[in-house]
Amino acid sequence: MKHPAQVIIRPLITEKGTMLRFNQNQYLFEVAGDATKIDIKNALKTLYGVDVLQVRTMWVKPKPRRFGAARRMGYTRKWKKAIVSIRPDQTIEDFNL
Amino acid sequence: MEAIVQQLDPVTIQISIEVDAETTQKAINQAIRQLGKTARVPGFRPGHAPLAQLRQMIPNEWIMQTAKEILIEDTLFRVLDSHQILPYRMPKVDIEQFQEGEPFRYKATVPLRPKVELGEYRDLRFPVPPQEASEEEVQQVLESAREQMKRLERTSDRPAQTEDHVVVQIRSLEQEDAKPSRYRVVLGNSFGELDNALAGMREEETKQLTLNFPESFDDPELAGKMVNVELTVQQIYAPIYPEIDDELANKYGYQNLAQMREILSQRIVQEKQTRLTDQAREAALATLRERSNVQLPEALIEEQLREEIDEFKRDLLENRVTPEMFLQQTGMSQEQLIQQLRERGITRLQNTFILLEIAEREGIQVSPEEVEAVINDMAQNYARTPQERIRLREDKAFHERIANELRIEKALQKLEAIIQNDSGGNPDE
């Protein structure tokens, strides 16, 4: 089994994520590409001690990017995002900066 | 909010204000929001990041500085309003305590308008009697005019005498191969030993002697040293002075000598008159300062002191002297100089407010048209761009300042009329 810190790569703090957090007690994370929903649930339990109600994941698609003056085209990396619902009476400290 | 208002002296008020912790916190949050309006936080559109994120992104000093401004703006001016205190200058704020979660405490020192108890000025008399130019004074000016028109003529047939320009070669005998250098010396204007040695020498004549060169001598090799030298006079030029006659007057642009004398004597009279009038005015103001009681707030004195220091530095700069050089030459310490400038500043402020008070009592008015005229004149002559011109015309504070200056000027004229009136009565009657 993967170590929890290898599953959860970083918490995502964005405008949209802040809204979700306040309104639905949902949290956003970047997670490892091979992490399953179960992995994420377990990892959060170990890392933050919270009970996860639901995990939804998605691949964020690579976006085309131009590099340098030579106008070489490339893409940003693809990464996996997880939207996690937590039990309403719990919070994750990392987000309360 | 609690405020304690204390009168420190007749022209200074101190306000101690304490703002409770809750209001302080609110102000800090407001400051964060205000600063966050333009902050770019990754993941958020500008202005949409939550406080907690902003708090991390924005340097704490900025937040506290802004919060401080918000709080002072909010509380100090409210207190000033409610106590009907009209600050004459920006209040000086000393923070005593300012921390998150604690009450905010500060002291504000508020300068008020200077108070003037004007002494009696209507009986001041410093009359300047009509001046005359004496024959000698005119002659003196003519002599110096003649001096300026002198020319030099090569004179080979007589020895050098005082006022002659002598071209002399000086060779040091201390070293075998010392190079001789040529100097042009005005006899009587160089240093005593050289003057004495040259007097009476003819062209081509050579003399060997020991000279004690002063520190100020041009050649650094010789300056400040006792040197055995050989002097060779190469050329002698004698000054030829023109006669004081119509021709000289012509050179200065006058029709003839009589006219020149006439105009010079008028000019002398005018200069004397101006000088004496200035002195009389100074004396009158000095007396008036003694008779009056002018109370100036410290903040105003400090502001004036800064101006005096700037002015002083500018003056020095014009003469190519650095402040350090000045202090060294006069042997004054920096504190003494500042004390002196401070006193000068106080005198000027006292004069200003005494004259403003006189303007008040005499009912001296400055019409908007007069101010307009001065400002238009300035706009024409000094403003470089049209925008600047418009700004000058629209700046209310600037108008007020010009009006004040005109008022002072008029009061000064009034005072001059009073002190010049030698009949002893009221000049209005």
Side-chain angles (χ1 to χ4, degrees), chain B residues 81-98:
Chain B
D81 265 358
S82 65
H83 285 76
Q84 300 198 325
I85 299 165
L86 207 64
Y88 192 64
R89 286 285 183 273
M90 204 57 204
K92 187 169 160 275
V93 174
D94 293 307
I95 308 291
E96 287 176 344
Q97 179 181 302
F98 184 36

Side-chain angles (χ1 to χ4, degrees), chain B residues 102-376:
Chain B
E102 307 260 343
F104 173 46
R105 269 206 304 273
Y106 67 97
K107 274 200 175 97
T109 317
V110 188
L112 303 180
R113 191 176 205 292
K115 285 207 167 76
V116 183
E117 284 164 40
L118 189 59
E120 182 50 47
Y121 60 97
R122 295 209 135 239
D123 63 341
L124 289 173
R125 292 291 176 271
F126 293 90
V128 175
Q131 296 297 310
E132 279 171 20
S134 70
E135 197 53 38
E136 291 93 65
E137 283 167 323
V138 177
Q139 196 61 33
Q140 224 174 354
V141 180
L142 283 174
E143 288 291 344
S144 73
R146 177 178 173 222
E147 168 92 30
Q148 272 174 26
M149 280 291 172
K150 79 177 174 204
R151 60 197 170 78
L152 296 172
E153 204 174 76
R154 181 87 183 266
T155 315
S156 318
D157 50 356
R158 65 163 176 79
Q161 60 191 39
T162 313
E163 289 192 14
D164 282 355
H165 289 229
V166 178
V167 177
V168 60
Q169 176 181 292
I170 301 180
R171 191 162 70 91
S172 164
L173 297 176
E174 307 280 312
Q175 288 159 302
E176 276 299 301
D177 53 348
K179 274 207 189 120
S181 357
R182 284 170 84 188
Y183 295 94
R184 191 190 175 97
V185 175
V186 182
L187 229 58
N189 276 356
S190 73
F191 60 102
E193 285 182 33
L194 186 60
D195 281 344
N196 288 340
L198 290 174
M201 282 173 82
R202 283 174 177 280
E203 279 192 14
E204 308 298 333
E205 210 179 313
T206 298
K207 213 184 233 182
Q208 288 188 1
L209 75 166
T210 309
L211 283 179
N212 194 359
F213 287 90
E215 292 284 352
S216 56
F217 197 71
D218 275 346
D219 188 346
E221 292 271 307
L222 298 173
K225 288 183 194 149
M226 245 337 213
V227 187
N228 217 345
V229 291
E230 184 187 72
L231 303 177
T232 311
V233 172
Q234 293 184 326
Q235 284 153 8
I236 298 174
Y237 293 90
I240 308 290
Y241 292 99
E243 289 297 311
I244 295 182
D245 54 13
D246 288 352
E247 201 183 319
L248 181 73
N250 268 331
K251 280 189 182 150
Y252 277 97
Y254 302 100
Q255 277 163 10
N256 52 40
L257 188 58
Q259 195 210 12
M260 185 172 178
R261 275 179 189 279
E262 176 62 29
I263 290 176
L264 285 181
S265 105
Q266 276 170 15
R267 208 180 291 160
I268 291 168
V269 169
Q270 211 173 20
E271 271 168 27
K272 276 190 185 174
Q273 201 85 38
T274 315
R275 203 178 58 236
L276 289 175
T277 315
D278 285 352
Q279 280 172 5
R281 194 175 52 214
E282 276 312 306
L285 280 171
T287 317
L288 203 47
R289 279 200 303 272
E290 267 168 40
R291 289 186 186 180
S292 311
N293 183 10
V294 184
Q295 277 168 322
L296 302 164
E298 184 59 30
L300 194 60
I301 297 176
E302 267 163 28
E303 182 187 293
Q304 182 71 22
L305 176 61
R306 278 193 295 277
E307 265 173 43
E308 296 285 338
I309 290 175
D310 284 351
E311 189 190 316
F312 181 72
K313 279 188 186 156
R314 267 201 307 277
D315 283 353
L316 285 185
L317 207 65
E318 269 171 30
N319 298 324
R320 294 165 187 241
V321 181
T322 63
E324 290 76 32
M325 272 157 77
F326 177 84
L327 289 177
Q328 209 178 16
Q329 274 166 21
T330 52
M332 228 190 276
S333 74
Q334 194 171 339
E335 290 73 38
Q336 280 170 319
L337 177 63
I338 287 186
Q339 186 56 30
Q340 217 178 52
L341 290 175
R342 190 185 153 92
E343 272 159 28
R344 192 168 84 182
I346 292 178
T347 307
R348 283 191 181 170
L349 284 174
Q350 284 176 338
N351 285 350
T352 305
F353 287 101
I354 285 175
L355 287 169
L356 280 176
E357 186 68 21
I358 290 179
E360 184 83 11
R361 296 239 187 133
E362 295 288 335
I364 289 171
Q365 298 287 335
V366 176
S367 66
E369 290 79 39
E370 286 172 281
V371 177
E372 206 78 2
V374 173
I375 289 181
N376 277 338

Side-chain angles (χ1 to χ4, degrees), chain A residues 4 27 32:
Chain A
Y27 294 78

